[in-house]
Amino acid sequence: MTHEFVHESRPGRVVFAVGARTRLAEEVDRLGLRRLIVVCTPEQADLAAELTLPLRDRIAALHPHATRHVPTAVAATAVARSREASADGCIAVGGGSAIGLAKAIAKDTGLPSVAVPTTYAGSEMTPIWGLTGADRKTTGRDPRVLPSTVLYDPALTLTLPSRLSLTSGINALAHAAEALYAPDGSPITALMAAESARALAGALPRVAADPRDLEARSDALYGAWLAGSVLGATTMSLHHKLCHVLGGAFDLPHAETHTAILPHVLAFNLPAAARARTALESAFGAADPGGHLFHLAEDLGAEMSLAALGMPEDGVDTVVAQALATPYANPRPVTETDLRAMVGNALTGEAPAPRPLG
């Protein structure tokens, strides 16, 4: 067998340990930062203040105004606040909303950032930014938005509710799954994606059974780190395209939307992606990865209906039109009929229908 691939490693430092939060000041010193803006959601303001207390003399602003999908107006306000504070760096505490806002600041100002994730979103490992306007989400890649340092502390995920832990973990699993059939994958990304899927598939039921299981939390966060890493190194396909459209058009919750959509995309794509199918069959211990994931998520309490998440019944036309308007990589061609079937089933919460080739 001959090999042909391109692999580009992303710069960045990762500190992974129970108690890694206590190394925040040390890592900030390592970067030479002196005036920091701290971003988080309103719900995480107390945690952000607690984590950054050792840096109190260097905190120029606490900005607890991150929100999902990073609306353009929210991003503009954060950029302006960082400039007013004469910040020379940013700390993001939280999940994808906080880290996405830090990326928006970096995109416009070039400020370096330190990410302290509290979910399994994986955004902290990618150079991908996203901003949401009136009716759609725009994404892009810029190496400046990749955090300089990421502190992974599994103990910070112990208070993440069981259902959100599940959907956040499946969000991460989607990164690994799409990396397995990405057109620009490499042997390294394939190994990392398969290991990520194995770790997440094994950890999420244990987290659901006992949210205080620190070993299960560590396994899940380890899988999420790998998933984010491969997301940042490969091209996103149909699943991420649909989730960006759904989030931008209807402001649906991010992780929950990934959870409802992923089984349908896997059922459609895996017949055309033999290696990805084999890796996911091994990770899940099941012959039908899409169907297995749907029933696992449903059994563990995830909402599998996009309608229940807030998508209007007449929204399928919008999703199909936007998804078809911009070309994207995918292991098999996608027609309007295919999209209507997948999104229609996800809308009502039906199990994924087999989509054989031909």
Side-chain angles (χ1 to χ4, degrees), residues 69 164 166-171 252-260 309:
H69 304 307
L164 185 53
L166 172 66
T167 57
S168 181
I170 294 178
N171 178 13
L252 301 187
H254 184 79
E256 291 88 342
T257 301
H258 276 269
T259 301
L309 295 176

Side-chain angles (χ1 to χ4, degrees), residues 14 17 58 103-104 174 184-185 187 206 239 265 268 312 316 328 330 353:
V14 170
R58 282 181 273 175
K103 288 182 173 185
D184 50 358
R206 292 155 53 212
H239 170 80
V265 176
F268 177 77
V316 175
Y328 48 87
N330 203 59

Side-chain angles (χ1 to χ4, degrees), residues 8-26:
E8 181 176 344
S9 296
R10 300 290 180 185
R13 176 177 169 86
V14 170
V15 179
F16 193 115
V18 174
R21 70 178 88 181
T22 63
R23 305 186 197 178
L24 180 57
E26 175 186 339

Side-chain angles (χ1 to χ4, degrees), residues 16 172 176 195-197 199-200 218-228:
F16 193 115
E195 173 67 359
S196 170
L200 286 162
S218 185
D219 287 346
L221 196 59
Y222 163 71
W225 162 59
L226 292 171

Side-chain angles (χ1 to χ4, degrees), residues 43-61:
E43 297 80 9
Q44 297 276 45
D46 289 344
L47 175 62
E50 175 190 340
L51 294 181
T52 57
L53 187 61
L55 292 163
R56 54 185 171 274
D57 294 338
R58 282 181 273 175
I59 303 303

Side-chain angles (χ1 to χ4, degrees), residues 81-343:
R81 185 73 184 93
S82 69
R83 287 176 170 150
E84 290 167 3
S86 299
D88 65 357
C90 179
I91 296 174
V93 177
S97 298
I99 293 164
L101 187 57
K103 288 182 173 185
I105 294 172
K107 177 176 173 290
D108 280 8
T109 67
L111 293 184
S113 66
V114 176
V116 187
T118 60
T119 73
Y120 308 126
S123 174
E124 65 279 352
M125 292 306 300
T126 81
I128 302 165
W129 56 265
L131 294 169
T132 302
D135 64 348
R136 67 186 62 213
K137 186 172 185 176
T138 302
T139 62
R141 289 177 181 256
D142 187 332
R144 295 188 306 167
V145 310
L146 185 70
S148 300
T149 303
V150 181
L151 292 176
Y152 284 110
D153 187 342
L156 289 176
T157 67
L158 286 172
T159 57
L160 192 65
S162 293
R163 185 173 295 184
L164 185 53
S165 297
L166 172 66
T167 57
S168 181
I170 294 178
N171 178 13
L173 188 57
H175 309 333
E178 292 227 297
L180 285 167
Y181 51 65
D184 50 358
S186 72
I188 294 294
T189 59
L191 288 168
M192 292 172 71
E195 173 67 359
S196 170
R198 183 204 61 78
L200 286 162
L204 293 178
R206 292 155 53 212
V207 169
D210 180 6
R212 304 297 297 180
D213 183 341
L214 189 55
E215 185 174 324
R217 290 287 191 179
S218 185
D219 287 346
L221 196 59
Y222 163 71
W225 162 59
L226 292 171
S229 298
V230 295
L231 174 67
T234 57
T235 298
M236 293 179 287
S237 298
L238 175 61
H239 170 80
H240 283 84
K241 178 67 177 181
L242 290 176
C243 289
H244 289 160
V245 170
L246 288 160
F250 309 119
D251 192 31
L252 301 187
H254 184 79
E256 291 88 342
T257 301
H258 276 269
T259 301
I261 283 289
L262 182 59
H264 300 277
V265 176
L266 293 182
F268 177 77
N269 273 342
L270 292 185
R275 290 184 181 178
R277 182 183 182 98
T278 298
L280 293 177
E281 287 175 346
S282 176
F284 295 164
D288 174 16
H292 174 81
L293 182 61
F294 178 91
H295 292 295
L296 174 67
E298 188 175 52
D299 290 346
L300 293 178
E303 177 54 68
M304 303 306 290
S305 162
L306 291 176
L309 295 176
M311 179 179 169
E313 290 189 8
D314 61 356
V316 175
D317 288 343
T318 298
V319 176
V320 170
Q322 289 193 24
L324 291 176
T326 307
Y328 48 87
N330 203 59
R332 65 186 289 190
V334 186
T335 67
E336 179 178 340
T337 300
D338 296 326
L339 286 171
R340 289 190 179 278
M342 281 184 279
V343 178

